[in-house]
Amino acid sequence: TLMTDITQAARAEVAAARRVFFWVAIAAPTLIVLAGTAVIIAWLPQLPNPIATHWSGGAGPDGFSSPMSAVWLTLGMGLGMTALFGGIVWLEARQRPDTWGWSQRLLGAMGPAMAVFLTVLFVGMVGTQRGLADAADAGSIDAMLWIGLGSALVIGVIAWFVQPKAEFARPTVLGVPFELAPEERAVWIAETRMGTGALVSLGVLVLAFVAMGAVMLASGTEVWWLMLLVSLVIVFGIVTCTVYRVRIDSRGLLVRSLVGWPKFHYTPDRITAVAVVDVAPMAEYGGWGLRFIPGSTGVLMRGGEGILVTLTSGRTFVVTVDDAATGAGLLEAVLRGNASGADTETGHGHEGAAS
């Protein structure tokens, strides 16, 4: 396992960032949602029954529900989004307590922004119906939609800059090349896969979208097929992007999905450096799986040790895999010309467990 050396100053910086995140992304959005809910509850006696709860772009409403539905919508969606953003960061904090990055900071900005948007929208929706005898007479809520979006943008920018940057680079270890005889040939093969917990979560997500599609179809909603389309996209991702084979030989580095695509092949002439790194997927790449960020591509089935190569283009490519030091050592030997062809397998397979 790759050992890391995180200084006390870096630990303190991460701890401070997490404290600010709590107040900005959890406490503040919760108070905003609760305040908006209190306003709606205070207005309940002044509302028609039912109230308008859905607009399809026209001047008037086309969907109605009980007045209390506005309370549950505000609480459910507002606190639900807050819990979602906070839960993602909490999960990463449990797995990687010493890491922090731009993605956590972004979620910290999205939390209050989303809370403001939903609260403004629902409070505005209810407010336009105060004193009406019939909710069908309610006008358009387009103005509240734009006010909500504008307010969310302002709050999101403020929340981003209120949080400390708290980003630092993880230490890396250069690949130690193998000493191979002039005629000796070697190949290293490993496998990395997404963990069972992540796969189960994706499966539950697919079932949820299928169930929503079925309910929408039964209720006559015309866009029910969108839910099924999303579920098919997720299934495609599960099939193509959850298990990868990693191969290193005289032809360079090959990382290929178990079904053959996606595939990444970097020949020795395209690689300028090899290193073993400790990867924090959420902090550095914004999540797990196949990731693309400016300047880098990652195949990140889990966090932890991985092989990072720097390309002649200046971009980097990283894949998290067990026994990364062995693979990096052989690849470094290839780059130095110490390895020739690779027809005989002398390496062994590894199955990476997601964390």
Side-chain angles (χ1 to χ4, degrees), residues 238-259:
I238 294 173
V239 172
T240 59
C241 297
T242 56
V243 182
Y244 284 85
R245 292 278 173 81
V246 184
R247 179 185 177 102
I248 294 173
D249 55 26
S250 63
R251 292 167 292 185
L253 171 65
L254 173 65
V255 179
R256 180 170 55 190
S257 166
L258 196 61
V259 298

Side-chain angles (χ1 to χ4, degrees), residues 249-290:
D249 55 26
S250 63
R251 292 167 292 185
L253 171 65
L254 173 65
V255 179
R256 180 170 55 190
S257 166
L258 196 61
V259 298
W261 184 90
K263 179 175 72 171
F264 303 91
H265 185 205
Y266 302 105
T267 55
D269 62 313
R270 296 180 60 194
I271 300 173
T272 61
V274 183
V276 179
V277 292
D278 185 31
V279 184
M282 187 66 193
E284 298 176 63
Y285 287 82
W288 297 262
L290 182 59

Side-chain angles (χ1 to χ4, degrees), residues 81-238:
M81 295 303 294
T82 299
L84 174 63
F85 296 144
I88 293 173
V89 173
W90 175 80
L91 179 62
E92 173 72 1
R94 288 198 62 187
Q95 296 177 338
R96 307 300 301 272
D98 296 321
T99 63
W100 194 261
W102 62 268
S103 59
Q104 285 100 327
R105 191 179 177 192
L106 179 61
L107 289 173
M110 291 174 63
M114 186 60 70
V116 166
F117 170 71
L118 292 173
T119 301
V120 169
L121 181 62
F122 289 135
V123 170
M125 175 189 76
V126 172
T128 59
Q129 301 179 65
R130 294 169 61 196
L132 293 180
D134 187 348
D137 296 330
S140 171
I141 60 169
D142 288 351
M144 298 310 304
L145 181 63
W146 287 109
I147 292 173
L149 287 172
S151 301
L153 179 61
V154 172
I155 294 299
V157 170
I158 293 174
W160 171 268
F161 286 106
V162 164
Q163 299 176 87
K165 189 175 181 181
E167 295 180 5
F168 56 91
R170 280 282 186 168
T172 62
V173 178
L174 296 179
V176 179
F178 290 157
E179 294 297 331
L180 300 176
E183 299 301 323
E184 188 175 3
R185 294 174 294 188
V187 59
W188 183 81
I189 297 176
E191 185 175 277
T192 180
R193 63 175 63 216
M194 195 165 283
T196 303
L199 290 174
V200 170
S201 299
L202 289 172
V204 171
L205 188 60
V206 170
L207 292 177
F209 276 109
V210 171
M212 285 190 289
V215 170
M216 293 171 71
L217 177 61
S219 63
T221 305
E222 295 180 357
V223 294
W224 61 268
W225 57 271
L226 281 176
M227 299 297 102
L228 297 184
L229 179 61
V230 171
S231 65
L232 289 176
V233 170
I234 298 174
V235 169
F236 177 78
I238 294 173

